[in-house]
Amino acid sequence: MADTEDGGIEEIEQAEELVARVAAIDIAKASGMVCVRVPHEDQPGKRVQRVFNTVATSGAILDLADHLIRQGVTRVVMEATSTYWKPYFFLLESRGLECWLVNARDVKNVPGRPKTDRLDAVWLAKLTERGMLRPSFVPPKPVRELRDLTRARAVMTHERTRHKQRTEKLLEDAQIKLSTVIADIFGVSGRAMLEALIAGERSPRPWRTWPTARSRPATPPWPNR
């Protein structure tokens, strides 16, 4: 009901917002509890529900995708559980299913949420079919690939810097102060000096003739040996 301009009351018909065919997955590390809810074929207004478990392997998830497609499921919802959701999301998405990733906090904030895996999947499906959830942003595939490359490069750069620092510390512990003589001990000359040290060279005399070495401003004199 709603108030009119003259203070009267009028009745308003509003159809219930309902996603007809939904699936929800409660995801664990090695498996997922799936709940599929679709309309009853013979009794209008009633729903048919099936809950089953599936393992988190590529083959099993693709079989699940085929089953959901045959059921006419239009939306698949799952919680963002660690990184375990990624195989389900990406493989189901690759089969053309609309996948929603939802924040577990949004689901928990709804009163009445049960606590078992089976009931969690059912509860998630019910919230989905009533439009009570909102999807989290999942970048498209090109952006995901770029992110993976960027993160891998950042990790490798960090590891490279860490190993360089460890190498310089080892040289300092051995009283070999290459960093006071050349600007970059991992440059062309620096690497040649390190290789010479590894090969057993102990005299600095041959190194003075290397033209590629970029000396630091205040280079101490080489000892005459």
Side-chain angles (χ1 to χ4, degrees), residues 27 61 78-79 81-92 101 144 148 151:
I27 300 173
I61 295 174
M78 61 200 75
E79 291 184 13
T81 307
S82 182
T83 58
Y84 306 146
W85 60 270
K86 291 185 176 182
Y88 288 93
F89 190 98
F90 298 145
L91 290 174
L92 295 177
L101 182 70
R144 295 197 300 263
D148 289 340
R151 288 168 180 165

Side-chain angles (χ1 to χ4, degrees), residues 3-25:
D3 294 337
T4 61
E5 294 182 357
D6 58 359
I9 298 177
E10 61 176 341
E11 294 184 356
I12 299 176
E13 293 184 0
Q14 183 174 357
E16 181 182 3
E17 294 184 4
L18 190 70
V19 182
R21 297 176 177 271
V22 301
I25 309 175

Side-chain angles (χ1 to χ4, degrees), residues 70-105:
R70 288 194 298 269
Q71 294 293 319
V73 170
T74 57
R75 183 176 300 167
V76 184
V77 177
M78 61 200 75
E79 291 184 13
T81 307
S82 182
T83 58
Y84 306 146
W85 60 270
K86 291 185 176 182
Y88 288 93
F89 190 98
F90 298 145
L91 290 174
L92 295 177
E93 185 184 51
S94 69
R95 288 297 176 93
L97 291 165
E98 180 190 17
C99 297
W100 277 22
L101 182 70
V102 298
N103 194 321
R105 180 178 55 190

Side-chain angles (χ1 to χ4, degrees), residues 102-172:
V102 298
N103 194 321
R105 180 178 55 190
D106 295 338
V107 179
K108 292 177 181 177
N109 284 343
V110 180
R113 182 177 185 267
K115 300 301 180 183
T116 67
D117 291 344
R118 181 184 179 88
L119 294 178
D120 276 355
V122 174
W123 182 247
L124 190 59
K126 289 182 177 180
L127 294 178
T128 302
E129 66 185 17
R130 286 168 174 76
M132 298 177 66
L133 298 174
R134 58 181 180 179
S136 301
F137 172 69
V138 179
K141 185 176 180 179
V143 177
R144 295 197 300 263
E145 292 177 347
L146 181 60
R147 283 185 173 183
D148 289 340
L149 290 173
T150 303
R151 288 168 180 165
R153 185 182 187 278
V155 171
M156 294 175 68
T157 301
H158 175 74
E159 287 297 309
R160 180 185 64 183
T161 302
R162 189 169 65 88
H163 285 295
K164 284 183 176 182
Q165 292 172 344
R166 290 183 62 188
T167 302
E168 185 172 359
K169 183 178 183 300
L170 288 173
L171 292 173
E172 290 287 339

Side-chain angles (χ1 to χ4, degrees), residues 34-98:
V34 184
C35 176
V36 180
R37 290 174 62 87
V38 297
H40 197 287
E41 295 181 356
D42 302 324
Q43 302 180 27
K46 291 191 175 182
R47 311 278 288 168
V48 176
Q49 172 180 294
R50 182 190 174 204
V51 183
F52 56 94
N53 193 34
T54 181
V55 294
T57 62
S58 298
I61 295 174
L62 292 175
D63 290 341
L64 171 63
D66 295 337
H67 173 72
L68 296 180
I69 292 172
R70 288 194 298 269
Q71 294 293 319
V73 170
T74 57
R75 183 176 300 167
V76 184
V77 177
M78 61 200 75
E79 291 184 13
T81 307
S82 182
T83 58
Y84 306 146
W85 60 270
K86 291 185 176 182
Y88 288 93
F89 190 98
F90 298 145
L91 290 174
L92 295 177
E93 185 184 51
S94 69
R95 288 297 176 93
L97 291 165
E98 180 190 17

